[in-house]
C-alpha cells in the first residue's frame, strides 16, 4: 500500500513535467484509492481504529474525486 501511495506522486510529477503545468492525472486518484484500500485492510488486520479511521476518510476523498471526474466525462459525451 505504501509503495502505491509513493508511486502516485511519481505519476503526478511526470504528468506535470510532460504538460509543463501542475497536473493531477486520473491515475493519481486511482493509485490513491487502491493504496488507501490496501492500507485500510492492513489497519483492520492490526486492529488500529485511528489508522482505520484515517484511511476511511481518505477513501471518501479519493472516491469523491473519481466520481466528479467520471461525472464530468459523462456530461461531455
Amino acid at each position: 500500500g505504501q509503495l502505491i501511495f509513493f508511486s502516485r506522486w511519481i505519476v503526478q510529477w511526470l504528468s506535470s513535467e510532460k504538460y509543463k503545468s501542475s497536473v493531477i492525472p486520473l491515475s493519481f486518484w486511482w493509485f490513491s484509492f487502491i493504496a488507501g484500500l490496501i492500507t485500510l485492510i492492513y489497519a483492520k488486520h492490526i486492529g488500529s481504529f485511528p489508522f482505520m479511521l484515517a484511511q476511511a476518510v481518505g477513501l471518501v476523498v479519493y472516491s469523491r474525486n473519481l466520481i466528479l471526474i467520471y461525472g464530468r466525462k459523462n456530461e461531455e459525451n
Side-chain angles (χ1 to χ4, degrees), residues 49-69:
F49 180 75
F51 194 15
M52 286 186 280
L53 184 59
Q55 293 309 310
V57 170
L59 285 172
V60 170
V61 173
Y62 310 143
S63 298
R64 182 63 180 147
N65 277 290
L66 288 166
I67 289 167
L68 291 170
I69 291 167

Side-chain angles (χ1 to χ4, degrees), residues 4-32:
I4 296 171
F5 264 126
F6 176 73
S7 298
R8 67 191 186 137
W9 295 111
I10 294 171
V11 167
Q12 192 274 331
W13 174 51
L14 293 175
S15 293
S16 294
E17 289 296 325
K18 178 180 178 181
Y19 294 105
K20 303 294 184 219
S21 179
S22 182
V23 175
I24 299 176
L26 178 61
S27 57
F28 177 91
W29 297 112
W30 278 111
F31 273 75
S32 299

